[in-house]
Amino acid sequence: QVQLVESGGGLVQAGGSLRLSCAASGRTFSTTLGWFRQAPGKEREFVAAVSWGGGMTAYADAVKGRFTISRDNAKNTVYLQMNSLKPEDTAVYYCAAELRNRITRIPREYDYWGQGTQVTVSS
């Protein structure tokens, strides 16, 4: 099993930055870690993912060039640096783990999920 705990969400003005963290515990070796988000009334959508070694990453088009995903396996933590935030980035952000070290954008292919952290961007 894998346990995931997100932190770092909050309220920020448009154009500002936030860094989300997700602390993982349990069976974390050789896992892909990803970030998803869900706004009210919308489906959960892929944001970014990083492979176990950090050599492979993927981003949603909506965040490419503004968000950066990284991981520190010594700390069992994945980060999402979010810059140039827009009101449309407002959502609950979830961390997820995929146990086969595949980069995938499909929520159902992730095996474990955190509880989420709220990000609100004001205009």
Side-chain angles (χ1 to χ4, degrees):
Q1 285 201 347
V2 178
Q3 295 78 43
L4 303 167
V5 179
E6 303 96 334
S7 61
L11 173 64
V12 64
Q13 288 189 331
S17 298
L18 281 175
R19 188 176 82 154
L20 304 183
S21 300
C22 173
S25 60
R27 193 276 212 201
T28 59
F29 180 77
S30 194
T31 59
T32 287
L33 294 176
W35 288 97
F36 289 77
R37 66 187 182 185
Q38 189 166 18
K42 294 189 176 182
E43 293 187 353
R44 192 167 298 189
E45 64 175 2
F46 172 77
V47 175
V50 60
S51 61
W52 163 252
M56 292 181 61
T57 58
Y59 294 93
D61 288 343
V63 307
K64 200 172 294 184
R66 299 188 297 123
F67 291 11
T68 302
I69 190 170
S70 61
R71 67 189 293 169
D72 183 341
N73 289 338
K75 297 181 178 179
N76 288 329
T77 301
V78 62
Y79 305 97
L80 186 68
Q81 178 67 43
M82 306 186 294
N83 298 328
S84 303
L85 283 161
K86 304 175 181 180
E88 51 264 44
D89 294 318
T90 295
V92 177
Y93 282 70
Y94 297 91
C95 178
E98 192 277 348
L99 299 183
R100 291 155 293 280
N101 200 30
R102 300 176 303 174
I103 294 289
T104 175
R105 300 166 184 257
I106 303 173
R108 67 174 182 271
E109 294 187 351
Y110 285 77
D111 302 286
Y112 295 96
W113 293 84
Q115 293 300 306
T117 185
Q118 176 71 46
V119 171
T120 303
V121 184
S122 63
S123 58

